[in-house]
Structure formats: C-alpha cells, structure tokens
Amino acid sequence: MNKDQKKDFFRRIIVLKSVLVLFAALMLLRLFIISVGQHSYYMAQAESQHGYYQKLIPTRGEIFIQDRYSDKPYPIATNSKKDLVYVVPQDISKQLETAETLAKITSLDQTELLLKLSDQKRKYVVIKKNLSEEESKAIAEAKLPGVFLDQENTRYYPEGQFLSQVLGFVGYKDNGDEKTGLYGLEKYMQKDLAGIPGEISADVSVNGAAIPGTQKQFTPAVDGTSLHLTIDRAIQFKAETIIRESVQKHGADSGTIIVADPKTGAILAMANFPSFDPNEYSKAKTPAVYINDATTENYEPGSTMKTITMATGINFGLVNPSTTYNDTGVVDVDGYKIKNSDGKAHGIVPMTKVIDESLNTGAIFVQKQIGNERFYESLKNFGFGTATNIELPEAIGNLNNLKTNITVNFYTAAFGQGITVTPLQMLQSYLPLANKGKLMQPYIIDSKVLPDGSVIKTEPKMLREVVSEKTTTLISGMLVDNVENGHGKQAGVKGYYIGGKTGTAQVVSGGVYVQDDNIGSFVGYGPTEDPRFVMIVDVKHPRDVKYAESTAAPAFGKMAEFILGYYDIPPTRK
C-alpha cells in the first residue's frame, strides 16, 4: 500500500467513525424523546398490549312481601341474567373497523361507538345492555380485541303492575351507562339495594396469559341488601282492586288506599290507581303515573280534619261529645262568611252532631275554645307539617297559613281547608286515636337481609303520646256514631263497630278553588274496641257524585269487610 492509499484508508475510517458517532447520538436522542417526551403515549400503548380490566357487577338486592297464611315470602322485585357488551379502549388498535363491526351487530350509531372506543381515559365502557341471543352470538364469533361480553342482573317485577308506585323501577338516569333506582323504594333504598361494584385487573401477555411476577388486582363486588316489606299480599291485592273499581265507577282521575296496623305503624297496603308495569315503564302514558300519591301528594284534606280538631278539644278538656253550641249556619270573620256545606243553620247542636253532619261552624267553635297557638302545636303533634320518615320519597304538607296569626286561617284549618297534608300524614293522624293515644312510627320495611345472610329486623317505635286514652275512647264513640247515623253510613260493616269520618275537600288551582272539583276521602278504623287496622281512602275528582259519602266511604266499607274476614275477627254485635 503506497502513501496515497494509506491516506485514503485512514480518511474512510474517520468518516465511518463520524457516522457511527452521529448514529449513536441520534439513537440516544430518540430514546430520550421516547422515555421522557412521549412517555404517556408509549405507556398507554404498553398497557393496551399487556393490560386486562373487568368490572365486577354486584347482584341487586331483591324485594319481598308476605302473606298472613304463608311463611314463604313472595318476590316482587327480582333479577334475571342478561348479556351486555363492553370495551376496554386501550386494548383496541383498529378502532374504526371495530366500530363498524359493532354498529352492524348492535344497530348502534357508528360515530357514537367510535367516540366511546377512542376514550383512552376509561378502562371500562359499556356499549349495549340487554343483548339479544343473536347479538351475543355475533359478538362472540367476531372475536374483536378489546371487546368483551359480560352478564348483568336485569330487574324483573314478577307481578307486573302490583305495588308499582311503591316499588318504582330501575332504569338509566340522564342517558347514563349505569342503571339506578328511579322512584319508590328502588330510588329511596338505592344504596342498600345496589351493592358495591368490584374490579379485577392484571398485566397480560400478547396471547392473554398473565405475566409471571406481576401483581393481580382484585376487589370483590358486594351484593345488595334484600328487603322484606310489611305489605300483606292479600290486603294489597284487594286494595288495588277496590280503588281501581271506585275510580272507574265514578269517572275519577285517580285514587289511593293506605292500610296500617295502629299498634305497630306497619303499612299493610299502599295502593294507587292508575298504575303502570315497571317491567315496561317506558310504555306508561305519562311519567306522572310513576309517582306514589300516597306519600307525595299535597292536598287539602277537608272534613277528615274535623276529627283531629275535635280530639284536640276533648283532650284539653274544653269540649265533650254532649257539649252544645248555637249553629247559625254562618261565621263572619275577617270579612269572610264561612258556611256549613249544606248551607243550613242547625240551632243548638251537640259535638256528636258536628261530626255526624260535618258542620264547619262546629269545627270553628271547637277551634276557638282551643286557641290558635295550642291548635297549631296540636296539629304538629299529630304529625302534620313534618315528614313521617317512612322509607319512601314523601312530601311534608304545608301549615304555613298558621304561622301568621290570621283568624280566618285557623278557622278554615279546623275543617281541613287552607292547609295541605299527604294521604299518609292523614292516616298517621288517626293512628293514635286507634291506639290509646300512642303514635307509632309508620314503616314499610319489615326487615333487611344483608349479603352475608344476617337479618336486621325493624322494631316498632312509639314516637309520642298524642292524646289520652280517655280522649280516644270518646272520639271513637263519636266516629262510630258518624258511621251509624251520619255521613259515614256506607263505611260500616254489619256486626262490627267501625269508626271514621268523611271529607270532601275543594281543589285549589291557580290560587282559587275550582268549581265542582273535589277530593273525596274517608279515614277510619275498626273494630273500635280493639282496632286492627287504620285506613284512608281518597277518590280524586269524581265526576258523577259530589260528596265522599258516595265515593270514598263505600270503598272503605268494602275494604274493612275484607280485612275483618281475612283476620278472622268475629262479629261483636248483633
């Protein structure tokens, strides 16, 4: 090799070394960019190749009712298995192709699917629930990476429309992916019923096998709590039948029946009509039918409130059944003329006739003896203006008219106008009259069965003594006389002492009372010597008759006769 050749050789070596150094520098720069500048991107890619995630769905708690003649509970809200399809976005590399395939199988919008498949921030995205067998089979056969089938418990109501407003239903809220309780017990007890979801995640190899040495994360799902209700299946069925017949017979808008045990406060029936099938809640004519009027409707109770006014007067020792007053047929107060519903003056009449003939002027007479402050406190003591705290969504009524010392407001409240209550509150106010003056907490959940099988039993709770036992004896006699000789005749049952009071309340709309529009109600209990039930019947806006004695009272009588026979209570009179 001559001198020129050696120079050329060394020059090539230097160039080669320079190229190698430059290449190494570029490689280091690229590695730096990958490890620091694009760390998040490549971490996500790694997770998409090696990550596994599955949400574990708990089993929703069931709801049961009971029957007097059977120890076996009846399921009225249970679960059935249905397939769902979900995706893990990080595991999907061909997002467009996957969206196209899923759109064809599920009939969902491809663009919306693509958005869900592209959401790299989420590990679990539900695509569709309640899959048909054909859809499930097609998805399984497609073997799409990142697309998985799972099963969930779908809510099922075996008895259809039975107890529907009390139960509510399970559905999607605000177009979300997660089902939740909507209305009734399903909503109020959502946290207990739903349970707690779990999850499982792990690092996996390309073929789906767990990578040795990596840690598997597992949080088990906790199933929901099951509920056993105080509702008696037979009494509930009869109540639903009777209120439906009553509403249809009188061309009314709707109706409600509630039955309770006065000694415990347990709700035995809570029926509304019209109702709906929670299995197909979307087919209801209007969402208004989902609402449980028994606990949420605010209405002016009318003359059923006269019983409470009278019991208060008796309890304070201000009147008794034979106390008289001069009924002139009208009371002038604050520029208003308040008349009896029959427009008549009855002269000198005893308190018993005030109940029998439902005299507004008589209720005002008693209220005047009581005084405004004591009357207001008594109404609150009976439970008006506050929640009953039953395990259901509820309204609380309105006593605001009595927070100002306006005389006419107290006079009208004495016979149930100008204040509002719920049907359950009205029923609650009669509970102490049927239980020696003791007010029991109304409740509808008899027990809870936890996921581990342990049982939490609801113990009856006395809230307070509202009136004396002597008062309940006297007022019960007056209510029996009303059923025997007053407006409550059609609520009676042959062979038994039944006590109760009618109420025909005007309906307010836009701040004024609507002509020829009313809510007819009857509240009572029996047998009065040892009451086994307290019941309220409401018939709203009947179109063929005007007064509650022709709408609510007959329905009450039919229900009372059924309950007495169902409990095998022997007659106590000829």
Side-chain angles (χ1 to χ4, degrees):
M1 182 181 295
N2 59 34
K3 186 176 180 180
D4 291 336
Q5 288 176 324
K6 287 182 179 180
K7 287 182 179 179
D8 183 60
F9 175 77
F10 285 117
R11 189 164 46 248
R12 289 181 181 183
I13 292 295
I14 292 171
V15 171
L16 179 60
K17 287 182 177 180
S18 299
V19 170
L20 290 173
V21 169
L22 179 61
F23 179 75
L26 290 173
M27 287 293 294
L28 289 172
L29 178 61
R30 180 60 177 164
L31 288 172
F32 177 80
I33 292 171
I34 290 173
S35 62
V36 179
Q38 297 180 354
H39 172 79
S40 299
Y41 171 78
Y42 284 99
M43 178 64 86
Q45 289 295 311
E47 287 184 355
S48 72
Q49 296 297 318
H50 304 296
Y52 169 80
Y53 178 85
Q54 183 179 6
K55 188 173 184 179
L56 304 178
I57 302 172
T59 299
R60 191 174 181 88
E62 297 179 294
I63 304 177
F64 301 87
I65 57 174
Q66 56 192 19
D67 186 295
R68 172 176 168 79
Y69 295 104
S70 175
D71 294 331
K72 182 181 178 181
Y74 297 91
I76 53 171
T78 184
N79 307 297
S80 61
K81 294 286 187 181
K82 289 286 185 179
D83 280 349
L84 64 83
V85 56
Y86 73 94
V87 298
V88 179
Q90 294 96 331
D91 289 356
I92 302 174
S93 57
K94 299 178 179 179
Q95 296 167 348
L96 181 58
E97 292 180 15
T98 303
E100 288 176 351
T101 303
L102 286 176
K104 290 177 183 178
I105 295 173
T106 63
S107 300
L108 296 175
D109 183 78
Q110 181 177 322
T111 303
E112 292 184 5
L113 281 172
L114 187 58
L115 288 173
K116 290 184 177 181
L117 270 54
S118 303
D119 189 353
Q120 296 291 318
K121 295 180 181 179
R122 300 176 65 184
K123 292 183 177 181
Y124 178 91
V125 183
V126 175
I127 299 301
K128 187 175 182 181
K129 297 188 176 186
N130 296 329
L131 298 176
S132 66
E133 291 184 11
E134 293 76 13
E135 289 173 327
S136 296
K137 183 179 179 182
I139 290 170
E141 291 176 347
K143 297 181 179 179
L144 301 169
V147 180
F148 304 94
L149 288 172
D150 199 357
Q151 283 193 323
E152 70 164 347
N153 289 313
T154 299
R155 206 57 160 173
Y156 175 61
Y157 303 90
E159 309 230 15
Q161 296 191 20
F162 186 81
L163 202 65
S164 58
Q165 281 99 347
V166 171
L167 294 175
F169 55 88
V170 174
Y172 297 103
K173 183 178 181 181
D174 300 328
N175 297 318
D177 288 337
E178 298 295 330
K179 282 187 175 181
T180 187
L182 303 173
Y183 299 92
L185 280 167
E186 295 280 26
K187 177 181 179 179
Y188 192 87
M189 301 300 296
Q190 164 67 14
K191 187 175 180 181
D192 291 73
L193 289 167
I196 303 172
E199 61 182 14
I200 183 171
S201 61
D203 291 331
V204 297
S205 62
V206 176
N207 62 11
I211 298 176
T214 60
Q215 188 173 3
K216 186 177 183 181
Q217 302 295 327
F218 172 65
T219 303
V222 179
D223 290 339
T225 295
S226 291
L227 308 177
H228 289 249
L229 307 186
T230 59
I231 297 292
D232 185 286
R233 187 168 182 259
I235 298 176
Q236 177 70 25
F237 180 82
K238 190 67 174 179
E240 292 192 7
T241 301
I242 288 176
I243 197 60
R244 181 181 68 248
E245 292 173 348
S246 298
V247 168
Q248 293 175 341
K249 177 182 178 181
H250 300 293
D253 288 346
S254 59
T256 297
I257 294 178
I258 313 174
V259 184
D261 182 341
K263 294 181 176 62
T264 64
I267 302 298
L268 304 174
M270 187 174 281
N272 298 281
F273 184 82
S275 59
F276 70 100
D277 186 347
N279 294 305
E280 301 178 310
Y281 61 86
S282 61
K283 294 183 179 181
K285 292 182 179 180
T286 169
V289 78
Y290 303 152
I291 298 170
N292 183 10
D293 285 347
T295 61
T296 61
E297 181 189 32
N298 280 320
Y299 75 109
E300 296 191 9
S303 294
T304 53
M305 186 63 73
K306 288 172 182 168
T307 300
I308 306 306
T309 301
M310 189 66 69
T312 301
I314 292 173
N315 200 56
F316 282 124
L318 302 170
V319 295
N320 61 58
S322 60
T323 300
T324 61
Y325 81 109
N326 183 22
D327 174 26
T328 62
V330 62
V331 173
D332 289 301
V333 56
D334 296 340
Y336 297 93
K337 290 184 180 295
I338 302 175
K339 299 180 179 180
N340 291 320
S341 60
D342 61 7
K344 298 178 181 178
H346 295 264
I348 304 299
V349 295
M351 293 297 102
T352 299
K353 189 171 182 178
V354 170
I355 298 296
D356 289 353
E357 300 296 327
S358 200
L359 302 178
N360 293 341
T361 58
I364 292 172
F365 169 80
V366 178
Q367 195 281 326
K368 288 169 67 176
Q369 313 311 306
I370 299 168
N372 292 353
E373 185 176 346
R374 283 197 297 186
F375 180 69
Y376 179 48
E377 291 302 319
S378 179
L379 291 186
K380 291 196 295 182
N381 201 31
F382 273 100
F384 297 112
T386 59
T388 68
N389 293 321
I390 196 169
E391 308 95 324
L392 286 166
E394 64 173 326
I396 61 172
N398 192 325
L399 300 181
N400 288 342
N401 273 356
L402 305 184
K403 291 181 179 180
T404 57
N405 199 28
I406 299 175
T407 302
V408 68
N409 290 347
F410 286 88
Y411 283 9
T412 58
F415 55 86
Q417 298 281 180
I419 59 174
T420 62
V421 304
T422 67
L424 181 62
Q425 284 179 328
M426 201 67 235
L427 174 95
Q428 177 183 250
S429 70
Y430 278 62
L431 289 178
L433 305 182
N435 189 38
K436 299 180 180 180
K438 298 177 177 62
L439 174 59
M440 304 301 292
Q441 166 72 54
Y443 66 101
I444 200 167
I445 297 177
D446 180 69
S447 62
K448 297 179 181 180
V449 181
L450 304 184
D452 63 3
S454 59
V455 178
I456 301 175
K457 180 78 172 175
T458 302
E459 296 298 331
K461 178 183 178 182
M462 190 191 86
L463 297 178
R464 55 189 170 270
E465 185 173 297
V466 178
V467 293
S468 68
E469 185 174 348
K470 178 183 177 181
T471 295
T472 66
T473 300
L474 294 174
I475 198 69
S476 293
M478 297 174 76
L479 294 178
V480 168
D481 195 74
N482 178 52
V483 172
E484 301 289 326
N485 305 302
H487 292 170
K489 290 186 180 71
Q490 294 195 67
V493 181
K494 290 183 179 180
Y496 300 89
Y497 290 103
I498 303 295
K501 180 74 185 75
T502 54
T504 305
Q506 292 177 276
V507 176
V508 176
S509 179
V512 296
Y513 289 109
V514 181
Q515 189 71 21
D516 298 324
D517 192 4
N518 68 77
I519 297 175
S521 58
F522 194 95
V523 191
Y525 48 91
T528 54
E529 59 270 43
D530 183 21
R532 298 290 299 277
F533 67 88
V534 176
M535 177 169 37
I536 182 170
V537 178
D538 285 341
V539 179
K540 303 167 186 69
H541 195 177
R543 288 170 172 79
D544 61 338
V545 291
K546 185 176 181 180
Y547 294 109
E549 60 186 291
S550 301
T551 57
F556 182 99
K558 291 177 184 177
M559 271 303 302
E561 183 176 22
F562 172 80
I563 295 170
L564 293 167
Y566 180 65
Y567 282 150
D568 291 325
I569 300 172
T572 55
R573 59 188 297 192
K574 294 182 180 180

